[in-house]
Amino acid sequence: MNLYLHGFASGPGSAKAVDLARRFAADRRVLEIADLTPGPFGFERSTPTSMLEIVRDLLAGAAPPHVLVGSSLGGWLSALTASRDPAVRKLVLLAPAFNLVERWSGRLSPAELAGWKRDGLEVDHHATGTRRRIGWHFFEDAGRYPAYPVVTVPT
């Protein structure tokens, strides 16, 4: 299976996902596109763990070997998946969000981090063109995973 994982606050209908699928099709290959935050409140409730579970379920239903293409957050999730699943044989990473927790910690002030912990963080959600709020649980969960997953497949 060839599988595309979108970035944070993005979705399966992004211009990048659509263009990559078109390019794969022109080469007579199928690129499946994951929805990492399905449902009306999928983004608000999402965590890296919930996204990895979606990827695991998609891969479990397809014959290996697998190629993962990931953009930003999807790139980090692709690397995490490849570090755990021997059926993943290749990665294509587009600006992977390695060191996510550290970078967000450095980008947001202590007051902004405290506000996120208390009220959630409002962000531009590119998939819907709206402002949406992600909970602190996303940040906490991201901290449970390696910032730089060990990947041994061609990348």
Side-chain angles (χ1 to χ4, degrees), residues 133-146:
R133 193 169 296 276
I134 189 84
W136 181 252
H137 60 276
F138 185 94
F139 186 80
E140 284 183 317
D141 189 61
R144 295 183 179 109
Y145 293 96

Side-chain angles (χ1 to χ4, degrees), residues 49-75:
T49 297
S50 69
M51 294 174 176
L52 289 167
E53 288 170 355
I54 290 168
V55 174
R56 182 197 65 218
D57 291 348
L58 288 168
L59 296 180
H66 305 303
V67 175
L68 300 182
V69 180
S71 177
S72 189
L73 176 64

Side-chain angles (χ1 to χ4, degrees), residues 25-114:
D27 198 32
R28 293 190 173 103
R29 294 180 291 155
V30 175
L31 179 64
E32 301 293 336
I33 302 173
D35 184 353
L36 300 174
T37 58
F41 300 105
F43 175 73
E44 288 78 1
R45 295 179 181 149
S46 69
T47 62
T49 297
S50 69
M51 294 174 176
L52 289 167
E53 288 170 355
I54 290 168
V55 174
R56 182 197 65 218
D57 291 348
L58 288 168
L59 296 180
H66 305 303
V67 175
L68 300 182
V69 180
S71 177
S72 189
L73 176 64
W76 179 57
L77 295 170
S78 294
L80 284 168
T81 301
S83 73
R84 299 161 171 228
D85 185 347
V88 176
R89 300 289 168 80
K90 293 181 184 177
L91 294 177
V92 177
L93 305 180
L94 309 169
F98 293 139
N99 207 22
L100 177 74
V101 170
E102 176 104 7
R103 286 188 301 113
W104 278 1
S105 294
R107 190 174 289 165
L108 299 172
S109 72
E112 290 170 318
L113 286 168

